[in-house]
Structure formats: C-alpha cells, structure tokens
Amino acid sequence: LTNQKLKALAGPENQRGVKTLADTARRLGENSIYTASQVAEMQLSLKKLGLEVSTIDEMSESVLKFALAMDVDVNEAGKTVVATMKKFTNSFTEFNTAQEKSAAITEQFVAASVKSALQFDTLQSALGYVGAEANAAGFDFAETAAILGKLADAGFQGSRGGRILRRVLQQVGKEGGAASENFRDLIKDQKEFNEVIKIVGVRAAGGTLALGGLNDEIAELADEIRDSKGQVDAFSEAVDNSFMAGIRRIISAVEEVGIKLLTEFEKPIK
C-alpha cells in the first residue's frame, strides 16, 4: 500500500524511481532494526514534504543511520532532517548532494545532543519554534543548536528554550542592524534582571540571564558541532549491537522473507 501511494504521488514519469525506492527500502530493511515497510513509510513522508524521488533515495541511508543513532522512529527522523534542511537555508550550502547535506545535518544534530543536555525530541521541539527565525537572524544550524544547548543546560528545555530564543531574536531584531550581532551584544556579559526585562520581556528574561557571559562558550560549542565527524556512526553502531536491536533485526529479516515469497508467488496466484 505504501508503494502504491508513492507511485501516485510521484506521477507516471517517476515509476522507475519508485521501484528504486522500494529496492532501497528492502536493502536497508533487510539488515537493520527498521523493517522495509518502516523505511518505505519514511520515504512516503519525504515525498509528501515535496522531495524528488531521486533526492529521497539519496537521503534514505543517512536518515536510517540517524534514526538508529538517536534510537527514534525512522519516519520521525526523516521529517526532522527535511524540516532542518528547509528552515536553515543558509546552512550546509557547501554540500552539493542531498546525501551529503542530510549526512551533515544528522552529524550536527547528534553532536548537539551529545555535547549538551539536548535530546532528539527537545532539540526537534525547540527548532520547531525558532529554526526559521534563527536562520533569518543570521545564525547557522550549529550556532543555533549551541545556544539552545546552553539554554537546555540551564534547564530551559525543548519548546521553552525555543520560545525564549525566538522572543529574544524578535526583540533584538527591532533595534536595527544584524539581529545576530545584537543578540551577541545582549549576552556578552551579565546584566541586571530589570534591565533584561525591559529588552526581552519577563518570559524570556530568565533564559537570557542564563546565557549572560557565554558568548565564548557558545562559539566553542558551535565549532564542535559544526566540525563533528563520526558521531552518527559511533552511536548507530552502539545501538545496533544491543540485544533489543538483535531482536528487531530478526523481525526485519522475517518481513524480507515475506516480501520475497510474495514477489515470487504473486504472479502465479494472479
């Protein structure tokens, strides 16, 4: 059924590409904790988000590794990668292919969760509130994640951290000039509570005070996130070697056997 939906969304001119996606889903699902049908559902979600069939095929493996590293639903992982790509249009521009870009996004996303109190769901939630705004203000993904990481370290997790940063960017953006520089100037040192309230309002004051004096730490964390290598592979391998992963791989292998049997006998039955 998922494959039929993909065919309908892709249009008659992309039927060969849909067959390629199905083959990719089976290949990835055969030796993974995610079944071929779960990978196919992820591919369908990406198609609904407007991606080309060829782009989805390029991204599928890196999305699967990302889901494995974060131990999350592969469909949710795929939607998160695409959302990040669309919100941070000024980031990852040095990469030419969808595979390279998605791999970089997943690497930095994992690094942000490793090097701060952020987790997959809390960073995903925070970016839902402030991703596009941070991009418009002049921040790349790594610096945005670093700021959210420092907020998370101070106890401002998930959507709360995202709302605080969005509020601050809205207020400093009214001052004229580059909003990113205005933000850095605001947090370059500790300020009095009353002074911060006048600038960002009471709801964002606590988070802003928590970031006071952390410009250097934020820049250092952003560099670590930006330059991260091998985090996805390391964490995906660790999860993949667990006992529960072994059980889930058996389920995936059983599904592949069923697909092969169905493919073998489908025509004779008809």
Side-chain angles (χ1 to χ4, degrees):
L1 181 59
T2 299
N3 198 39
Q4 296 305 314
K5 290 179 182 177
L6 269 171
K7 286 182 179 180
L9 285 170
E13 69 278 9
N14 288 313
Q15 297 309 300
R16 182 176 296 179
V18 173
K19 171 64 166 58
T20 301
L21 285 182
D23 292 341
T24 299
R26 287 183 61 184
R27 174 177 60 81
L28 294 176
E30 185 174 9
N31 298 302
S32 166
I33 68 172
Y34 300 103
T35 66
S37 61
Q38 287 174 321
V39 177
E41 285 289 344
M42 176 270 291
Q43 293 172 333
L44 177 61
S45 291
L46 299 195
K47 184 58 189 171
K48 288 180 178 180
L49 291 172
L51 270 63
E52 297 294 331
V53 168
S54 58
T55 301
I56 296 170
D57 191 51
E58 286 183 30
M59 291 175 56
S60 291
E61 187 164 3
S62 60
V63 169
L64 188 78
K65 282 187 175 182
F66 177 47
L68 188 57
M70 295 279 88
D71 194 21
V72 296
D73 175 68
V74 67
N75 195 15
E76 198 63 32
K79 289 188 287 187
T80 299
V81 171
V82 175
T84 303
M85 193 180 296
K86 289 185 174 182
K87 287 178 179 177
F88 287 92
T89 54
N90 298 322
S91 299
F92 313 106
T93 54
E94 68 270 32
F95 301 103
N96 297 317
T97 68
Q99 191 280 327
E100 292 173 336
K101 187 172 290 189
S102 62
I105 290 171
T106 62
E107 194 68 49
Q108 292 192 23
F109 207 103
V110 172
S113 68
V114 169
K115 299 176 183 296
S116 72
L118 290 167
Q119 298 177 2
F120 173 86
D121 57 341
T122 57
L123 179 53
Q124 178 194 48
S125 178
L127 292 175
Y129 282 91
V130 76
E133 290 82 354
N135 178 73
F139 293 111
D140 67 359
F141 173 82
E143 189 167 4
T144 304
I147 296 168
L148 293 171
K150 291 303 179 183
L151 283 169
D153 291 349
F156 301 96
Q157 289 272 8
S159 61
R160 189 181 181 197
R163 287 196 300 267
I164 287 171
L165 182 55
R166 182 177 64 179
R167 172 69 177 174
V168 174
L169 293 180
Q170 288 172 342
Q171 294 307 109
V172 299
K174 296 176 182 178
E175 299 173 5
S180 57
E181 289 304 318
N182 293 343
F183 173 83
R184 295 186 189 102
D185 186 61
L186 173 64
I187 66 165
K188 66 182 179 182
D189 50 31
Q190 289 286 351
K191 290 180 169 55
E192 294 296 327
F193 185 59
N194 289 340
E195 181 184 0
V196 173
I197 287 179
K198 291 178 182 178
I199 300 171
V200 301
V202 66
R203 293 184 179 180
T208 305
L209 288 168
L211 295 174
L214 297 185
N215 268 330
D216 289 344
E217 291 186 29
I218 289 171
E220 182 180 348
L221 178 55
D223 285 340
E224 290 178 6
I225 293 171
R226 203 176 288 118
D227 299 335
S228 177
K229 297 289 187 299
Q231 296 280 4
V232 172
D233 285 340
F235 277 83
S236 61
E237 287 175 11
V239 174
D240 203 35
N241 289 330
S242 68
F243 173 76
M244 287 306 299
I247 299 297
R248 289 161 70 179
R249 276 198 303 274
I250 292 173
I251 296 172
S252 294
V254 169
E255 180 178 287
E256 174 60 19
V257 171
I259 294 172
K260 287 179 178 177
L261 288 172
L262 180 62
T263 304
E264 184 71 24
F265 293 107
E266 184 177 20
K267 289 183 179 180
I269 289 173
K270 288 182 177 179

